[in-house]
């Protein structure tokens, strides 16, 4: 079975500082990894994904994430946080394989709070 | 349309009633997903359609839940004999192809409250 863990319920960071939101996954075979953001009373918005290739992937709004196969992690990062980045962030994994139906499994989410 | 559209945005019903939630995916998207999100939780997979057929319904919690997509576009999630525990935001998403590298595009959800 595939699963995602986001160990921090909340991350607090000052505006202008770098931020990291952690994600680890468990899946048999190769993973496809995704980050989504959810603003209050809004749907989930896609930020970025890792499929294959370069372990560092860049996405929307200046976010990036690093895939680490040995640590089974896919942490979300941004060099300089903005107050407007404050939102709920979800990591998700999909398993690659012949029996894969495309189901995307989400973590519990991490609330990012950026203070001025 | 430009994005995934879900109706109604809010639905309040009484325990035991029947409800239908509708999803209109992005035009041309062949894959359609239903998720359920409870307060403080991540989205929980319910069912996935590829075209008209349900490719994976392993997330449906019990036989009170059913979903259809008769023409391969609009989908309806149907809940019979609603219970208070069914209260949640029901999210619909669509994806361009069945290739598993594609990201999902989500609607804003239908908030169901069962009194």
């Amino acid at each position: 079975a595939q699963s995602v863990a986001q160990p921090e319920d909340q991350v607090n960071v000052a505006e202008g500082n770098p931020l990291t939101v952690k994600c680890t996954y468990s899946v048999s075979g190769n993973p496809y990894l995704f980050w989504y953001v959810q603003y209050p009373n809004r749907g989930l918005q896609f930020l970025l994904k890792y499929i294959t290739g370069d372990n560092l992937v860049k996405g929307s709004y200046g976010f990036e994430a690093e895939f680490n196969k040995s640590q089974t992690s896919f942490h979300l990062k941004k060099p300089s946080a903005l107050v407007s980045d404050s939102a709920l962030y979800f990591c998700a994994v999909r398993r690659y394989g012949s029996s894969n139906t495309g189901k995307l499994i989400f973590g519990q989410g991490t609330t990012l709070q950026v203070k001025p | 349309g430009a994005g995934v559209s879900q109706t109604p945005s809010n639905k309040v019903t009484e325990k035991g009633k029947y409800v239908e939630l509708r999803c209109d995916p992005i035009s041309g998207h062949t894959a359609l997903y239903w998720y359920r999100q409870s307060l403080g939780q991540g989205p929980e997979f319910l069912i996935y359609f590829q075209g008209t057929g349900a490719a994976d319904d392993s997330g449906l919690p019990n036989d009170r839940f059913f979903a259809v997509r008769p023409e391969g576009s609009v989908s309806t999630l149907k809940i019979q004999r609603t219970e208070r525990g069914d209260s949640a935001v029901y999210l619909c998403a669509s994806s361009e192809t069945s290739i598993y590298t594609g990201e999902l595009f989500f609607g804003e959800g239908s908030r169901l409250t069962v009194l």
Side-chain angles (χ1 to χ4, degrees):
Chain A
Q2 58 209 69
S3 65
V4 176
Q6 294 181 241
E8 302 154 317
D9 290 335
Q10 182 157 330
V11 170
N12 298 309
V13 64
E15 187 173 34
N17 283 1
L19 69 88
T20 299
V21 182
K22 295 180 180 177
C23 170
T24 59
Y25 66 89
S26 174
V27 70
S28 58
N30 294 323
Y32 295 148
L33 295 156
F34 300 78
W35 275 102
Y36 282 81
V37 60
Q38 188 174 35
Y39 297 99
N41 300 314
R42 301 297 303 275
L44 280 79
Q45 297 177 30
F46 169 75
L47 278 180
L48 50 79
K49 64 183 178 184
Y50 170 80
I51 302 302
T52 187
D54 193 349
N55 288 344
L56 184 65
V57 293
K58 296 185 183 296
S60 307
Y61 312 119
F63 283 94
E64 58 190 29
E66 186 168 12
F67 171 62
N68 187 318
K69 188 172 184 178
S70 63
Q71 297 185 5
T72 61
S73 67
F74 189 56
H75 301 331
L76 181 70
K77 300 181 180 183
K78 188 173 182 181
S80 179
L82 300 173
V83 172
S84 58
D85 293 330
S86 299
L88 184 57
Y89 290 81
F90 291 99
C91 182
V93 66
R94 178 189 277 151
R95 180 174 58 84
Y96 172 84
S98 59
S99 61
N100 185 8
T101 65
K103 180 168 60 179
L104 194 60
I105 300 301
F106 286 84
Q108 294 290 83
T110 298
T111 299
L112 174 65
Q113 188 74 35
V114 182
K115 298 185 177 179
Chain B
V4 177
S5 175
Q6 291 189 247
T7 55
S9 56
N10 278 286
K11 175 71 175 178
V12 180
T13 191
E14 294 179 344
K15 180 175 178 294
K17 299 290 189 182
Y18 169 83
V19 299
E20 290 189 351
L21 306 175
R22 175 190 166 104
C23 173
D24 197 345
I26 294 172
S27 178
H29 280 193
T30 59
L32 185 146
Y33 301 76
W34 283 100
Y35 284 81
R36 177 169 69 175
Q37 187 176 22
S38 300
L39 192 64
Q41 304 292 317
E44 173 193 14
F45 172 79
L46 295 177
I47 186 170
Y48 155 62
F49 287 90
Q50 180 56 40
T52 60
D56 184 347
D57 64 357
S58 62
L60 295 177
N62 50 60
D63 61 5
R64 295 188 297 106
F65 289 75
F66 190 70
V68 296
R69 194 185 185 199
E71 298 179 356
S73 179
V74 171
S75 176
T76 304
L77 178 66
K78 307 181 180 190
I79 310 174
Q80 298 178 322
R81 305 183 304 279
T82 52
E83 300 177 357
R84 292 192 180 90
D86 299 335
S87 297
V89 176
Y90 290 82
L91 300 172
C92 178
S94 67
S95 181
E96 192 168 10
T97 68
S98 63
I99 296 173
Y100 307 120
T101 58
E103 61 267 29
L104 275 60
F105 295 84
F106 282 85
E108 296 198 356
S110 293
R111 182 178 298 276
L112 175 65
T113 303
V114 182
L115 300 177

